[in-house]
Amino acid sequence: MRFLSRNRRALFTFALGAVCYPAIELIWRGRTHWSMALTGGACLLAIGRMNGRLRGRGGWPGRCALGSLIITSFELSVGLVVNRCLKWNVWDYSRVPGNLLGQICPRFCLYWFLLNIPLLGVCRHLGY
């Protein structure tokens, strides 16, 4: 994918995240919401750029931790808007131990860390 221009690579990366993130949700919980497509696109784009900037530094555990932080931050931000402000009730982690405002929780932070392991390879393939 290194042959793509920077803008086309960014658009492709966003589109890939916008398809994969809701697909993961559909597999995991049987439903999703259009806002998750936007969130997934933004997350993969941010993770790709982070990986590109840290290439050759930090090792994979550090990049996975940063990727998990990126996804968790987007999840909290989007959750505060769509769930708390707009009352769309897209998800609710309030029954999960350690949750923050029902929008994020430690268990999913771990899942995001694990998801970042294959994402490192995806980002490398995309030219980040």
Side-chain angles (χ1 to χ4, degrees), residues 74-120:
F74 273 94
E75 191 174 50
L76 177 61
S77 300
V78 171
L80 290 174
V81 172
V82 302
N83 294 327
R84 303 290 292 239
C85 292
L86 299 175
K87 309 281 189 216
W88 289 352
N89 300 318
V90 178
W91 72 87
D92 182 5
Y93 296 150
S94 61
R95 293 185 180 164
V96 179
N99 79 82
L100 177 63
L101 303 171
Q103 304 310 302
I104 58 173
C105 64
R107 180 175 60 179
F108 279 88
C109 292
L110 173 64
Y111 295 158
W112 303 143
F113 178 91
L114 296 172
L115 178 64
N116 271 275
I117 296 170
L119 286 181
L120 292 177

Side-chain angles (χ1 to χ4, degrees), residues 37-49:
L38 299 178
T39 304
C43 285
L44 187 56
L45 190 56
I47 289 167
R49 290 187 172 164

